[in-house]
Amino acid sequence: MLDVNIEGRKFTAADGATLHAVGQLKFKLAAASFTCIVGPSGCGKTTTLRMILGLDQEFAGHVQLSGKGTVAAVFQEPRLLPWRTVEQNVRLALPAEQAQANLDDLFTELGLSDMRNFFPAELSLGLARRAALARAFALQPQLLVLDEPFVSLDDITAERLRRLLMKLWHARPTTALMVTHNLHEAALLADRIIVFSDRPAIIIESIDIEQPQAERHAKDIDAVVLRLRGVIQQNPEE
């Protein structure tokens, strides 16, 4: 469904030096799959997402999305407009023909039914993240891109939102690509995990997880995390 063939991405620093952020990356995503990208800080994960989203087009190679479906993104910050209510923020991204779509079920699934008329300043960070997920899923996207959407949350809230995302994704299937530093998060959510090297990022391992998300127990998740740590430790750049 998504074909990524990036030959490299370089930046020019303020002092004129060249920063080689991303090396050669080649991977494809199947429709309705959930893929996580993990790797060290600063290796080029977010840069890769920006190229996939079309926010950065100054790179060699190509990114091709089949069909003409919608692409939605959830970033590290909720990015809600403070002068609009939760519902107004969610509907803001909808195309004109869907502007009056019934979102009752979506708000119910995300536990936001009683907060539709709240402003972002009245929400906890966890609830703001739920509103950001609602905005993305309201689009019924063909591709959903997530850049560490649960970063900076406490462990209990983050785990609750991971489970909520998993439930939401099963109810509203889409092709998902998520960047995370959290190996547990990747092992819980993904059916495929791509491991990046240090900068410039290349793929050092691609791990397929055949066991369905709902059937994974703590020991299964721990086994995947252990495998990921082994891959990372064997990479000489880590």
Side-chain angles (χ1 to χ4, degrees):
M1 198 280 294
L2 179 70
D3 180 13
V4 176
N5 186 349
I6 296 170
E7 297 175 15
R9 178 66 170 101
K10 297 181 180 180
F11 296 90
T12 301
D15 61 1
T18 298
L19 175 65
H20 194 178
V22 175
Q24 187 174 57
L25 298 174
K26 290 185 179 182
F27 61 89
K28 296 181 180 181
L29 303 185
S33 61
F34 199 122
T35 302
C36 277
I37 297 175
V38 301
S41 297
C43 74
K45 300 185 296 296
T46 295
T47 298
T48 300
L49 291 192
R50 286 179 57 81
M51 291 187 283
I52 290 172
L53 287 169
L55 300 176
D56 181 350
Q57 300 183 6
E58 300 298 320
F59 67 93
H62 68 260
V63 174
Q64 294 180 338
L65 177 67
S66 64
K68 297 182 179 179
T70 304
V71 178
V74 181
F75 299 99
Q76 295 178 16
E77 296 297 329
R79 299 191 179 186
L80 303 175
L81 297 179
W83 58 87
R84 293 181 181 269
T85 65
V86 168
E87 180 156 6
Q88 288 171 341
N89 268 285
V90 170
R91 291 187 181 276
L92 192 62
L94 293 176
E97 63 272 17
Q98 298 178 29
Q100 302 304 315
N102 188 327
L103 301 179
D104 291 352
D105 289 344
L106 180 61
F107 281 117
T108 298
E109 290 167 29
L110 282 162
L112 293 172
S113 294
D114 295 334
M115 299 164 192
R116 296 166 76 146
N117 293 317
F118 282 31
F119 288 94
E122 300 175 285
L123 304 177
S124 67
L125 184 55
L127 289 173
R129 298 285 171 83
R130 292 185 186 219
L133 287 173
R135 182 176 54 197
F137 275 95
L139 285 169
Q140 302 179 34
Q142 181 183 8
L143 174 66
L144 173 63
V145 175
L146 307 107
D147 185 9
E148 297 193 82
F150 310 131
V151 69
S152 75
L153 294 174
D154 64 85
D155 291 342
I156 294 176
T157 302
E159 187 67 9
R160 186 179 296 123
L161 286 180
R162 291 177 194 124
R163 300 284 178 177
L164 186 59
L165 171 60
M166 183 168 63
K167 181 179 179 180
L168 199 62
W169 179 74
H170 278 291
R172 303 165 182 269
T174 181
T175 303
L177 178 62
M178 179 175 175
V179 157
T180 179
H181 280 95
N182 191 307
L183 301 185
H184 167 84
E185 186 168 86
L188 172 70
L189 294 172
D191 47 41
R192 181 187 180 194
I193 302 174
I194 297 174
V195 185
F196 278 11
S197 71
D198 203 351
R199 189 176 62 236
I202 61 171
I203 296 173
I204 58 175
E205 189 84 17
S206 180
I207 299 172
D208 292 321
I209 305 175
E210 297 182 1
Q211 187 177 31
Q213 294 170 331
E215 298 177 11
R216 296 175 200 171
H217 301 290
K219 63 181 179 63
D220 305 312
I221 295 170
D222 289 344
V224 176
V225 170
L226 188 63
R227 181 178 176 185
L228 287 169
R229 286 176 178 163
V231 171
I232 292 171
Q233 289 171 359
Q234 290 174 9
N235 176 30
E237 297 296 330
E238 295 290 325

